[in-house]
Amino acid sequence: QKENAEAAQEKSLSFQQFRDIHDRLVNPEQEEARRWIITSIPIKPPEQPIEDWFSQVSAIIETKPAGWTRSRSPGQIYIKQVLNNFDFIGFVATHFWNAQEADIEWLSPPVAKVWRRLGPYVEHLSTLRNEPDYYRAASNFGQYCIQWRESKDLPEAEFVEGL
């Protein structure tokens, strides 16, 4: 009976963690930030040198609309929000959460869709800054979601404007 109680408690904790992660992902600010990334940052073509792509993407990220008075551009703010959220999710998923196959199936589409665009930017920035741990949990989890989807032969989620 003790084993059943421990198993029930573990399931309850896992569900609480899933709910917390769910709430973070469906937060309207997070959805807005991910939408900006998906619509603004192109996926790096395999043949394009990282330096050229990074320069192109940095210009997009750093663009400030007319009349914008904040020190950081909207793109910088959105990226920071998403990276902090993915870093938290990646850290929890790695160290505290016994994620099941169905959890990853649900989490992987939005994470993979964003990470295909943001991953090369973060990795290159990590190199430029000489910070190998720069958003490491986010990077690991983003890559995991992409690889998980590929291992299941799931199609890459496409963004359709207006839907």
Side-chain angles (χ1 to χ4, degrees), residues 65-76:
W68 186 262
T69 59
R70 296 174 73 176
S71 61
R72 288 188 173 173
S73 70
Q76 290 169 315

Side-chain angles (χ1 to χ4, degrees), residues 39-50:
T39 59
S40 301
I41 298 178
I43 294 173
K44 182 193 166 302
E47 69 282 353
Q48 186 176 19
I50 186 65

Side-chain angles (χ1 to χ4, degrees), residues 32-42 60 117 159 161:
E32 180 181 344
R34 287 195 313 272
R35 182 172 294 273
W36 184 90
I37 290 167
I38 291 165
T39 59
S40 301
I41 298 178
I60 293 167
R117 291 156 176 83
F159 176 78
E161 188 72 44

